[in-house]
PDB file of all heavy atoms in Angstrom:
ATOM      1  N   LEU B 921     -18.743   1.014  37.552  1.00  0.00           N
ATOM      2  CA  LEU B 921     -18.922   2.313  38.169  1.00  0.00           C
ATOM      3  C   LEU B 921     -18.699   3.497  37.151  1.00  0.00           C
ATOM      4  O   LEU B 921     -18.464   4.601  37.443  1.00  0.00           O
ATOM      5  CB  LEU B 921     -17.740   2.543  39.299  1.00  0.00           C
ATOM      6  CG  LEU B 921     -17.792   1.597  40.460  1.00  0.00           C
ATOM      7  CD1 LEU B 921     -16.639   1.734  41.299  1.00  0.00           C
ATOM      8  CD2 LEU B 921     -19.094   1.676  41.217  1.00  0.00           C
ATOM      9  N   ASN B 922     -18.758   3.081  35.905  1.00  0.00           N
ATOM     10  CA  ASN B 922     -18.648   3.974  34.757  1.00  0.00           C
ATOM     11  C   ASN B 922     -17.300   4.718  34.702  1.00  0.00           C
ATOM     12  O   ASN B 922     -17.319   5.907  34.212  1.00  0.00           O
ATOM     13  CB  ASN B 922     -19.781   4.975  34.766  1.00  0.00           C
ATOM     14  CG  ASN B 922     -21.088   4.408  34.061  1.00  0.00           C
ATOM     15  OD1 ASN B 922     -20.904   3.715  33.057  1.00  0.00           O
ATOM     16  ND2 ASN B 922     -22.149   4.570  34.647  1.00  0.00           N
ATOM     17  N   ILE B 923     -16.219   4.111  35.125  1.00  0.00           N
ATOM     18  CA  ILE B 923     -14.948   4.657  35.081  1.00  0.00           C
ATOM     19  C   ILE B 923     -14.264   3.862  33.923  1.00  0.00           C
ATOM     20  O   ILE B 923     -14.405   2.638  33.830  1.00  0.00           O
ATOM     21  CB  ILE B 923     -14.072   4.486  36.335  1.00  0.00           C
ATOM     22  CG1 ILE B 923     -14.898   5.038  37.403  1.00  0.00           C
ATOM     23  CG2 ILE B 923     -12.732   5.139  36.190  1.00  0.00           C
ATOM     24  CD1 ILE B 923     -14.344   4.783  38.891  1.00  0.00           C
ATOM     25  N   ASP B 924     -13.605   4.508  33.083  1.00  0.00           N
ATOM     26  CA  ASP B 924     -12.840   3.742  32.013  1.00  0.00           C
ATOM     27  C   ASP B 924     -11.924   2.769  32.493  1.00  0.00           C
ATOM     28  O   ASP B 924     -11.006   3.076  33.313  1.00  0.00           O
ATOM     29  CB  ASP B 924     -12.056   4.746  31.071  1.00  0.00           C
ATOM     30  CG  ASP B 924     -11.367   4.098  29.908  1.00  0.00           C
ATOM     31  OD1 ASP B 924     -11.471   2.859  29.936  1.00  0.00           O
ATOM     32  OD2 ASP B 924     -10.815   4.735  29.007  1.00  0.00           O
ATOM     33  N   PRO B 925     -12.189   1.390  32.258  1.00  0.00           N
ATOM     34  CA  PRO B 925     -11.393   0.468  32.977  1.00  0.00           C
ATOM     35  C   PRO B 925      -9.977   0.411  32.682  1.00  0.00           C
ATOM     36  O   PRO B 925      -8.984  -0.014  33.303  1.00  0.00           O
ATOM     37  CB  PRO B 925     -11.946  -1.001  32.407  1.00  0.00           C
ATOM     38  CG  PRO B 925     -12.768  -0.571  31.205  1.00  0.00           C
ATOM     39  CD  PRO B 925     -13.177   0.896  31.370  1.00  0.00           C
ATOM     40  N   ALA B 926      -9.613   1.076  31.447  1.00  0.00           N
ATOM     41  CA  ALA B 926      -8.153   1.159  31.128  1.00  0.00           C
ATOM     42  C   ALA B 926      -7.373   2.001  32.018  1.00  0.00           C
ATOM     43  O   ALA B 926      -6.156   1.966  32.091  1.00  0.00           O
ATOM     44  CB  ALA B 926      -8.035   1.650  29.740  1.00  0.00           C
ATOM     45  N   VAL B 927      -8.091   2.759  32.943  1.00  0.00           N
ATOM     46  CA  VAL B 927      -7.345   3.627  33.888  1.00  0.00           C
ATOM     47  C   VAL B 927      -6.664   2.764  34.979  1.00  0.00           C
ATOM     48  O   VAL B 927      -5.806   3.173  35.595  1.00  0.00           O
ATOM     49  CB  VAL B 927      -8.427   4.678  34.421  1.00  0.00           C
ATOM     50  CG1 VAL B 927      -7.728   5.515  35.589  1.00  0.00           C
ATOM     51  CG2 VAL B 927      -8.802   5.600  33.346  1.00  0.00           C
ATOM     52  N   ALA B 928      -7.363   1.572  35.208  1.00  0.00           N
ATOM     53  CA  ALA B 928      -6.635   0.645  36.111  1.00  0.00           C
ATOM     54  C   ALA B 928      -5.416   0.216  35.378  1.00  0.00           C
ATOM     55  O   ALA B 928      -5.256  -0.980  35.107  1.00  0.00           O
ATOM     56  CB  ALA B 928      -7.698  -0.585  36.397  1.00  0.00           C
ATOM     57  N   SER B 929      -4.449   1.091  35.364  1.00  0.00           N
ATOM     58  CA  SER B 929      -3.305   0.929  34.424  1.00  0.00           C
ATOM     59  C   SER B 929      -2.326  -0.172  34.973  1.00  0.00           C
ATOM     60  O   SER B 929      -2.368  -0.602  36.057  1.00  0.00           O
ATOM     61  CB  SER B 929      -2.578   2.266  34.226  1.00  0.00           C
ATOM     62  OG  SER B 929      -2.075   2.458  35.560  1.00  0.00           O
ATOM     63  N   GLY B 930      -1.486  -0.642  34.030  1.00  0.00           N
ATOM     64  CA  GLY B 930      -0.542  -1.662  34.425  1.00  0.00           C
ATOM     65  C   GLY B 930       0.236  -1.449  35.640  1.00  0.00           C
ATOM     66  O   GLY B 930       0.181  -2.256  36.495  1.00  0.00           O
ATOM     67  N   PRO B 931       0.917  -0.281  35.915  1.00  0.00           N
ATOM     68  CA  PRO B 931       1.701  -0.179  37.010  1.00  0.00           C
ATOM     69  C   PRO B 931       0.888  -0.211  38.424  1.00  0.00           C
ATOM     70  O   PRO B 931       1.436  -0.636  39.344  1.00  0.00           O
ATOM     71  CB  PRO B 931       2.211   1.261  36.921  1.00  0.00           C
ATOM     72  CG  PRO B 931       2.214   1.600  35.525  1.00  0.00           C
ATOM     73  CD  PRO B 931       1.001   0.867  34.957  1.00  0.00           C
ATOM     74  N   PHE B 932      -0.399   0.227  38.301  1.00  0.00           N
ATOM     75  CA  PHE B 932      -1.211   0.174  39.548  1.00  0.00           C
ATOM     76  C   PHE B 932      -1.508  -1.272  39.903  1.00  0.00           C
ATOM     77  O   PHE B 932      -1.227  -1.688  40.999  1.00  0.00           O
ATOM     78  CB  PHE B 932      -2.430   1.054  39.197  1.00  0.00           C
ATOM     79  CG  PHE B 932      -3.422   0.803  40.421  1.00  0.00           C
ATOM     80  CD1 PHE B 932      -3.185   1.428  41.586  1.00  0.00           C
ATOM     81  CD2 PHE B 932      -4.577   0.075  40.224  1.00  0.00           C
ATOM     82  CE1 PHE B 932      -4.071   1.382  42.586  1.00  0.00           C
ATOM     83  CE2 PHE B 932      -5.576  -0.057  41.283  1.00  0.00           C
ATOM     84  CZ  PHE B 932      -5.235   0.552  42.442  1.00  0.00           C
ATOM     85  N   ILE B 933      -2.007  -2.160  38.908  1.00  0.00           N
ATOM     86  CA  ILE B 933      -2.315  -3.513  39.193  1.00  0.00           C
ATOM     87  C   ILE B 933      -1.047  -4.203  39.561  1.00  0.00           C
ATOM     88  O   ILE B 933      -1.012  -5.073  40.388  1.00  0.00           O
ATOM     89  CB  ILE B 933      -2.939  -4.056  37.979  1.00  0.00           C
ATOM     90  CG1 ILE B 933      -4.319  -3.451  37.684  1.00  0.00           C
ATOM     91  CG2 ILE B 933      -2.984  -5.610  38.053  1.00  0.00           C
ATOM     92  CD1 ILE B 933      -5.404  -4.089  38.369  1.00  0.00           C
ATOM     93  N   THR B 934       0.122  -3.902  38.962  1.00  0.00           N
ATOM     94  CA  THR B 934       1.394  -4.580  39.164  1.00  0.00           C
ATOM     95  C   THR B 934       1.798  -4.385  40.684  1.00  0.00           C
ATOM     96  O   THR B 934       2.072  -5.359  41.243  1.00  0.00           O
ATOM     97  CB  THR B 934       2.473  -4.090  38.189  1.00  0.00           C
ATOM     98  OG1 THR B 934       2.062  -4.361  36.931  1.00  0.00           O
ATOM     99  CG2 THR B 934       3.787  -4.820  38.424  1.00  0.00           C
ATOM    100  N   THR B 935       1.736  -3.121  40.984  1.00  0.00           N
ATOM    101  CA  THR B 935       2.128  -2.747  42.384  1.00  0.00           C
ATOM    102  C   THR B 935       1.254  -3.440  43.446  1.00  0.00           C
ATOM    103  O   THR B 935       1.725  -3.944  44.404  1.00  0.00           O
ATOM    104  CB  THR B 935       2.226  -1.258  42.655  1.00  0.00           C
ATOM    105  OG1 THR B 935       3.045  -0.729  41.539  1.00  0.00           O
ATOM    106  CG2 THR B 935       2.849  -0.840  43.983  1.00  0.00           C
ATOM    107  N   LEU B 936      -0.035  -3.351  43.137  1.00  0.00           N
ATOM    108  CA  LEU B 936      -1.020  -3.905  44.120  1.00  0.00           C
ATOM    109  C   LEU B 936      -0.687  -5.409  44.166  1.00  0.00           C
ATOM    110  O   LEU B 936      -0.650  -5.965  45.285  1.00  0.00           O
ATOM    111  CB  LEU B 936      -2.398  -3.824  43.527  1.00  0.00           C
ATOM    112  CG  LEU B 936      -3.534  -4.269  44.297  1.00  0.00           C
ATOM    113  CD1 LEU B 936      -3.763  -3.503  45.525  1.00  0.00           C
ATOM    114  CD2 LEU B 936      -4.929  -4.438  43.543  1.00  0.00           C
TER     115      LEU B 936
END
Side-chain angles (χ1 to χ4, degrees):
Chain B
L921 301 173
N922 276 321
I923 307 170
D924 182 352
V927 173
S929 61
F932 173 71
I933 293 280
T934 303
T935 307
L936 181 72

